[in-house]
Amino acid sequence: MTGFADIPGAVADETGISHFGDAFREQRRLAAGAAVAPLDDRTVIEVAGPERLSWLDSITSQAVGRLSAGESTELLVLDPQGRVEHAAGVVDDGSSTWLIADAGDADALATWLTRMKFRTQATVTVRPDLALLGFVDGGAAAELALAAASAPSGVPLVWVDPWQAVSAGGHQYAEIAEHPGAALAWRVAILERESSDALATTLAADQLAGLLAAEALRVAAWRPRWSAEVDERSLPHESDWIRTAVHLNKGCYRGQETVAKVHNLGHPPRRLAALHLDGSEAVLPAVGDPVFAGDDEVGQVTSVARHHEDGPIALAILSRRTPVGDLVVRSDGVDVAATQQVIVPADAGATADIPRLTRLSRRPSAPDPRQAG
C-alpha cells in the first residue's frame, strides 16, 4: 500500500484506502478535479517488445495494433464462448504498453498473457513497484498527478478512461441522449512508488479522496468494472461494455463469434441496470444482494455507493426478462425500494438501427449515429 495510508485520518482495508475521514466531501472534491485518489485496488502490468501491439491486437477484443504513444483505450480478454475473463485499461508510451487491471485479476491476466506469447517478441511483467492515482481532468489535482506521473520513455503514463464517449469500432446500447459517463473525465496516473510516497507528504487534506469517492463516481457513470460487474457468465453486451472495450470491425480474436452473434441477433441473457435506492430505511444494500420484481428474484446488486448528489445508488445485473419498473433489493431481511433506470435494453442488439456486421450478414445497413468509427 502507498504512503497515503500513513496520512492521519486515512481509513484502509485490504483493498486500499476507503476514505480520509469524510467520504462525501472527498467525493465532491474528486468530481471537481480538486483531489486525487490513490488506487491501491489496481495493479500495473507492463508489456514490452517490438511485437507487443500486434500481438495484443490478435488476442483481445480491442484494436490496439496502431496505438500511438500516449494514446489510451481498454481491452477485454474473452473465452471461446465470448464471456469476459479479464479486463484492463491500456496506454502505450512508444516503448511499452501499460495495462491497468483490478488487483484481483492482474496476476491471472499476466499469467494468461505469458502463456499466449509463444514466439512473440514481447515480455509481460507485473509491476508492484508502481502506484496509481485517479483524478478527474481539468482541476488543480490534474496538474499534480501529471507532474508526478512516470515517463520512462518521455511520455507521461496517464490512462485516459475512454468511457466518456463511444470508442471507434464500439457501439452503445444505452438509449439515452446524455450518457452519464460523458461527464466523467476520469484519468489514472502511473507513478513510481517513491514519487507517490513523496506526493503523499505534500498534499493538503482537502486534496485527498478515497476509494469510496472514486467508486461513487464510477457507479453514477454506469461504468462497468471487472471486480464488480464480471462473473463466470458475463458477456460484454450485458453491461454495455462494447461501448469502449470491443472493436466490432477488427480481425479475428477468441470469442469474436459470440460477440458478433449476440450483437447481430440480439437479446443478451442479462442486462445491466442502474438503481436509485430508497434511503429512508438507512440501509445500504451490499454487493450480491438479490433484486426482486414482485415475488420473483430477477438479479443481484453488483456495485453500490452513496453519491453526493444522487444519494444511495447501485448497479445490478438483471435477467433480460425483468420488467421495466420499480424493483426491490433485499438486504439482511430489509426490502429496499429501487427505481430502475435501464442501461442495456432487453432487446439490445436486435433493434432496427443497430448495424449488422458483414461477417454474419451480407446486406449493408445505414450507418448508426451512435457508433463511432
Side-chain angles (χ1 to χ4, degrees):
M1 194 170 292
T2 66
F4 287 91
D6 297 326
I7 294 175
V11 176
D13 57 22
E14 65 278 0
T15 61
I17 301 170
S18 299
H19 60 85
F20 290 90
D22 190 337
F24 274 158
R25 184 175 296 178
E26 293 164 27
Q27 189 183 140
R28 294 188 188 97
R29 292 195 294 255
L30 186 63
V36 298
L39 304 178
D40 293 315
D41 61 343
R42 293 156 223 211
T43 301
V44 177
I45 301 170
E46 180 184 5
V47 182
E51 297 178 341
R52 66 189 187 283
L53 290 175
S54 59
W55 170 60
L56 288 172
D57 187 274
S58 70
I59 60 175
T60 71
S61 65
Q62 190 54 270
V64 298
R66 297 183 179 180
L67 207 64
S68 59
E71 189 177 357
S72 298
T73 185
E74 68 173 326
L75 57 77
L76 302 175
V77 172
L78 307 178
D79 73 6
Q81 287 73 46
R83 296 182 291 249
V84 178
E85 289 192 334
H86 309 287
V90 184
V91 61
D92 195 83
D93 67 1
S95 297
S96 292
T97 303
W98 305 84
L99 307 181
I100 299 174
D102 285 341
D105 185 38
D107 286 342
L109 173 56
T111 298
W112 184 83
L113 289 172
T114 300
R115 282 203 296 255
M116 293 298 293
K117 281 197 321 174
F118 304 107
R119 296 188 179 185
T120 302
Q121 296 183 55
T123 60
V124 178
T125 308
V126 179
R127 296 291 303 272
D129 57 310
L130 298 175
L132 295 164
L133 280 184
F135 62 96
V136 172
D137 196 28
E143 297 180 7
L144 298 172
L146 288 170
S150 177
S153 298
V155 176
L157 298 182
V158 178
W159 177 63
V160 177
D161 188 348
W163 192 247
Q164 279 192 277
V166 181
S167 297
H171 185 85
Q172 177 179 303
Y173 290 145
E175 297 173 348
I176 185 170
E178 296 184 11
H179 194 287
L184 184 61
W186 185 244
R187 310 289 187 262
V188 177
I190 301 175
L191 286 69
E192 299 291 338
R193 187 71 61 175
E194 295 79 6
S195 298
S196 175
D197 292 345
L199 185 61
T201 65
T202 62
L203 292 175
D206 62 358
Q207 294 176 308
L208 301 170
L211 293 175
L212 289 177
E215 280 295 279
L217 300 186
R218 178 185 70 83
V219 174
W222 302 351
R223 213 265 187 261
R225 185 175 174 186
W226 179 90
S227 62
E229 278 63 55
V230 173
D231 61 21
E232 68 281 354
R233 298 167 51 198
S234 296
L235 298 173
H237 317 69
E238 297 174 335
S239 54
D240 213 8
W241 225 340
I242 290 179
R243 194 171 183 272
T244 54
V246 176
H247 196 294
L248 292 171
N249 302 314
K250 62 166 285 185
C252 184
Y253 58 92
R254 191 171 72 162
Q256 184 192 32
E257 188 73 27
T258 298
V259 169
K261 180 179 179 180
V262 176
H263 182 68
N264 280 302
L265 302 181
H267 300 85
R270 301 183 300 177
R271 60 181 182 85
L272 188 68
L275 304 180
H276 292 266
L277 304 168
D278 179 10
S280 62
E281 294 286 349
V283 173
L284 186 67
V287 171
D289 282 348
V291 180
F292 288 84
D295 295 329
D296 298 325
E297 183 174 340
V298 294
Q300 66 177 19
V301 171
T302 57
S303 297
V304 65
R306 294 189 186 274
H307 192 265
H308 68 287
E309 293 180 342
D310 298 336
I313 56 176
L315 297 176
I317 290 289
L318 308 175
S319 165
R320 180 177 63 84
R321 300 183 183 278
T322 301
V324 176
D326 292 344
L327 303 169
V328 168
V329 178
R330 188 158 297 161
S331 183
D332 289 333
V334 177
D335 284 354
V336 179
T339 300
Q340 176 189 177
Q341 188 169 7
V342 174
I343 298 176
V344 176
D347 61 353
T351 52
D353 67 339
I354 288 182
R356 299 293 174 176
L357 302 187
T358 56
R359 72 190 304 273
L360 291 184
S361 173
R362 297 179 181 177
R363 297 180 61 187
S365 59
D368 182 353
R370 292 179 298 176
Q371 180 168 348

